[in-house]
Amino acid sequence: MEPTKPEQRIPLHFPGSATTKLTLQDRYEIERRLGAGGMSVVYLARDLRFGAVERWCAVKEMANKAPDLQARRMNLENFEREANILASLSHPAVPRVYDFFSQDSRSYLVMEFIDGSDLEKIWARANGPLDANDVVNWALQLCDVLSYLHSHQPPVVFRDVKPSNIMLTHQQPRIMLIDFGIARIFQTGTRGTMIGTEGYAPPEQYRGVAEPRGDIYALGASLHHLLSGRDPRLEAPFTFQERPIRASNPRVPPALEEAINKALHYELDQRYATAQEMGQALARAFKIDGRSDVSAPARPGAVTAATGGRDGAESSSVATGQIDQAMASPSSVKPVWQFKCEDEVRSSPRILGTTLFIGSYDHNLYALEARTGKFIWKYATEGGISSTPYLTPTAIYIGSEDSSLYALDPKGGKVIWQFRTKGPIRSSPRVAGDLIVMGSDDGAVYAVTLSQGTQVWRFPTLQSVRATPLIVGDMVAVGSDDGHVYALNLKDGRQRWKYNAGRFVMSTASYDDGLVVVGAGDWAVHAINARSGWSVWRVRTGGPVVSSPAVVEGRVYVGSADNCAYALDVHTGRVIWKQAIGSQIASSPAVSGDAVFLGSEDGTVHALDARSGKPRWSYKTGGVITSSPLAQDGRVYIGSTDHHVYAFSVT
């Protein structure tokens, strides 16, 4: 490697106002200083090898001026260890390392530039406790990256989790863990010097013991800081039990405070065993009655429509206007028929030949005549059915909250086989070739054989899998309550990529022209490159998106908990129209001809014009509608929690 010319060397405190830009290695042109620590400075630099585009990177410089030779050697080893650790990692929340070199008494690490703000600065600007919804969102992402680090071979212990080492990116808000300067490879039984940050570091780290559960403690301390507004560096160490979070911030749910306190236990073996376990506990603690807060009202002043760019930065030119009068009250439309079940109908209908199949919370799968609604037969499982059946000429496949997937004879409902998981099945099964794929509340995706229901593979996630898998060729894409969309090999269940949506993904993905389009609990609709797993665009709504998008002729139709239905351009995310309908939408749209059909949580079935979003007709049922409509053969079929299945004429 050629030596750096003396005039190119950057002083440790390179002035940001200098008019002459300095260059390292004839490649990295220094733009300005980003920050400084005890022995290092980080600069923003442009990689000149990419002349046609501006590729920005972060250059971390260490000036090794320790007077003691052994100390200088140790500093250099620590710096090289950071470079080697980063080079061995591949995770969306870990900055990528591009280059590493040393010259004279200085060493340089060239990394991915993270355009964002660290959580300590965000906390300082807020001047008080942060919103629990945001903090839990960040915590779940941190549990994911810590789980990755701790399960890496060899395991990596970060040793310095704290708000200032956690970045929130600006364009597509997501968490990044920065500054691996004191991270170390974990070796059971080894000790070292006490290192970390007082207030966040666990008790055993003061004794030179660094192991994965120490990162869990530090994460708990960071969450306490963000939620209580009290800086642990200003308090006596290990006194969290004397300053409970809810004493400073009573808006924090008691279950969430309890989950964080477990991470902060003084005794190492009383904490969570893994970061994955901690993530599961935090997610459970922030649910109401076992269900994610998908029905929470939109926050006042929330951004309700955004389009354009990668993150929907431009405002839509489509005016939403007032709720149309036709949407506010029932119209003269009447059902062609309605069938009463014994309990709520949250399942969505499917038709095979002339028979309609739909599940109910009365534990039954019903077979009805599609034209008349006449009862044919029913099969009783041991739990409620919210899953939507998958139909083939030889079998009906349906999941139940009794934790089983059933294969039934379509003629009379006789059981062909039954496959059990360890949690309720609310995900709907999908078939490809000789495999059937579905998710379970036990936190896993399963593939079983069509003929016998024998497990072929199982892929674990951090939380419940309630989304229905999307199968495209040999790829399975499915969301999880852990906030990720996973792409798996259909054949063996191996992971191809993982996309971090930030919050729970209960929406079922759709596919169009190389894009996986899905809604998420981060109040957005995401388009993901199907090959790489990278974000293509993201459109923010005013509430969580659990509705599954329907992609037809270049348009994405989807509902949101912000009380609006949307039509988006599938290639750019541009909002084509946005229609307020007066109630939250969990139902997924069905498109037939020039009409879009969906249900809303005020119990209304809506028909909208597909081109403009203007209302055509509506019908008010007697219960919340989470069932998604089926538009087929001139009819629209849908279930309601008023215990009925309805059929309407499309026109």
Side-chain angles (χ1 to χ4, degrees), residues 574-592:
R574 178 179 63 87
V575 175
I576 299 170
W577 56 254
K578 172 188 171 187
Q579 177 63 52
I581 65 170
S583 184
Q584 299 179 20
I585 303 171
S587 173
S588 303
V591 182
S592 178

Side-chain angles (χ1 to χ4, degrees), residues 84 91 325 357-358 366 413 419 574 606 612 633 635 637:
N84 291 329
H91 190 280
Q325 184 62 34
F357 298 92
I358 192 167
Y366 288 87
F419 174 80
R574 178 179 63 87
H606 302 273
S612 66
D633 299 328
R635 295 276 180 88
Y637 306 91

Side-chain angles (χ1 to χ4, degrees), residues 551-601:
V551 183
V552 179
E553 296 181 352
R555 290 188 176 191
V556 178
Y557 300 94
V558 69
S560 170
D562 66 1
N563 302 357
C564 292
Y566 292 80
L568 313 173
D569 184 285
V570 71
H571 300 293
T572 65
R574 178 179 63 87
V575 175
I576 299 170
W577 56 254
K578 172 188 171 187
Q579 177 63 52
I581 65 170
S583 184
Q584 299 179 20
I585 303 171
S587 173
S588 303
V591 182
S592 178
D594 59 355
V596 179
F597 304 94
L598 50 82
S600 58
E601 294 203 3

Side-chain angles (χ1 to χ4, degrees), residues 137 171-174 310-311 483-485 497 499-505 507-512 515-529 533-541 543-545 547 549 551 556 558 568-570 572-573:
N137 178 7
Q171 278 198 336
Q172 182 185 338
R174 60 188 175 92
R310 290 175 55 83
D311 196 35
H484 293 89
V485 178
W497 50 257
Y499 175 84
N500 189 350
R503 287 298 307 276
F504 58 86
V505 182
S507 168
T508 297
S510 292
Y511 177 84
D512 185 80
L515 295 180
V516 174
V517 184
V518 69
D522 68 338
W523 300 27
V525 181
H526 301 255
I528 309 164
N529 184 293
W534 290 100
S535 174
V536 177
W537 55 256
R538 173 179 177 271
V539 173
R540 180 84 164 171
T541 74
V545 180
S547 171
V551 183
V556 178
V558 69
L568 313 173
D569 184 285
V570 71
T572 65

Side-chain angles (χ1 to χ4, degrees), residues 70-209:
Q70 184 175 356
R72 289 200 300 272
R73 183 181 297 113
M74 181 177 295
N75 290 339
L76 182 59
E77 289 176 355
N78 289 342
F79 200 76
E80 290 178 345
R81 181 177 67 239
E82 179 181 11
N84 291 329
I85 288 175
L86 282 170
S88 71
L89 303 177
S90 178
H91 190 280
V94 177
R96 287 169 290 179
V97 61
Y98 299 137
D99 201 357
F100 171 72
F101 53 91
S102 298
Q103 177 62 40
D104 298 332
S105 62
R106 301 177 185 226
S107 297
Y108 300 94
L109 180 62
V110 184
M111 301 173 292
E112 176 185 4
F113 169 59
I114 309 301
D115 183 17
S117 299
D118 67 63
L119 296 191
E120 183 168 358
K121 291 179 181 176
I122 293 173
W123 170 79
R125 288 198 297 266
N127 196 28
L130 298 181
D131 181 73
N133 188 68
D134 291 332
V135 173
V136 171
N137 178 7
W138 303 333
L140 294 177
Q141 296 179 57
L142 288 164
C143 286
D144 178 70
V145 66
L146 289 177
S147 180
Y148 168 79
L149 294 175
H150 298 164
S151 60
H152 188 267
Q153 291 302 321
V156 175
V157 183
F158 188 75
R159 293 203 294 176
D160 202 19
V161 177
K162 58 184 178 180
S164 62
N165 281 342
I166 303 166
M167 294 281 287
L168 181 66
T169 60
H170 285 153
Q171 278 198 336
Q172 182 185 338
R174 60 188 175 92
I175 287 298
M176 300 286 288
L177 196 58
I178 63 171
D179 198 351
F180 279 69
I182 65 171
R184 67 178 295 173
I185 302 300
F186 174 60
Q187 295 176 316
T188 304
T190 59
R191 289 179 177 265
T193 57
M194 187 275 153
I195 197 165
T197 301
E198 186 175 353
Y200 301 103
E204 67 275 8
Q205 209 159 300
Y206 283 75
R207 303 189 295 270
V209 176

